[in-house]
Amino acid sequence: MQDLLAELFWRNTELDEAAGRLRQTLPGFQEAKQAYDELAQQLRELAGYDLYDRHFTQLIRYTGYEVQSYYSLGLGLRKEIVQVLEV
């Protein structure tokens, strides 16, 4: 049951795809993406790919927790349920 709920809430490709489509329609998203991509390229050139990759991996890991907590609150899930769903 825990795996089913985790799959429904956290590893949901339909939700990911819907969020991606929505993101594309938000005003300013394309400009923000372009600015990020340009800055990321500059950082890769200065720091080297390996250090940049380690930084990016940790940033995504960290922000994943933040996104999950906001998403859970948006679903109205209680803290205890969210903790049980952790995989």
Side-chain angles (χ1 to χ4, degrees):
M1 180 70 159
Q2 178 179 339
D3 290 340
L4 176 62
L5 291 173
E7 189 70 31
L8 176 65
F9 294 129
W10 310 146
R11 296 180 299 254
N12 186 323
T13 56
E14 289 180 29
L15 183 62
D16 292 341
E17 291 169 2
R21 288 190 301 273
L22 175 60
R23 196 171 39 241
Q24 296 293 326
T25 67
L26 297 174
F29 171 74
Q30 291 300 327
E31 293 82 4
K33 182 181 181 320
Q34 182 178 353
Y36 169 79
D37 289 344
E38 290 170 2
L39 182 58
Q41 180 60 35
Q42 291 175 9
L43 288 172
R44 275 191 300 271
E45 290 170 1
L46 289 171
Y49 178 81
D50 289 339
L51 182 58
Y52 174 81
D53 186 57
R54 287 185 12 230
H55 169 298
F56 186 74
T57 299
Q58 290 305 314
L59 177 63
I60 294 301
R61 180 176 175 232
Y62 167 74
T63 57
Y65 285 100
E66 188 172 35
V67 169
Q68 181 178 340
S69 64
Y70 278 102
Y71 179 68
S72 298
L73 290 172
L75 290 174
L77 299 179
R78 293 183 46 162
K79 175 181 152 186
E80 295 82 9
I81 294 172
V82 172
Q83 290 172 333
V84 168
L85 293 175
E86 283 300 312
V87 185

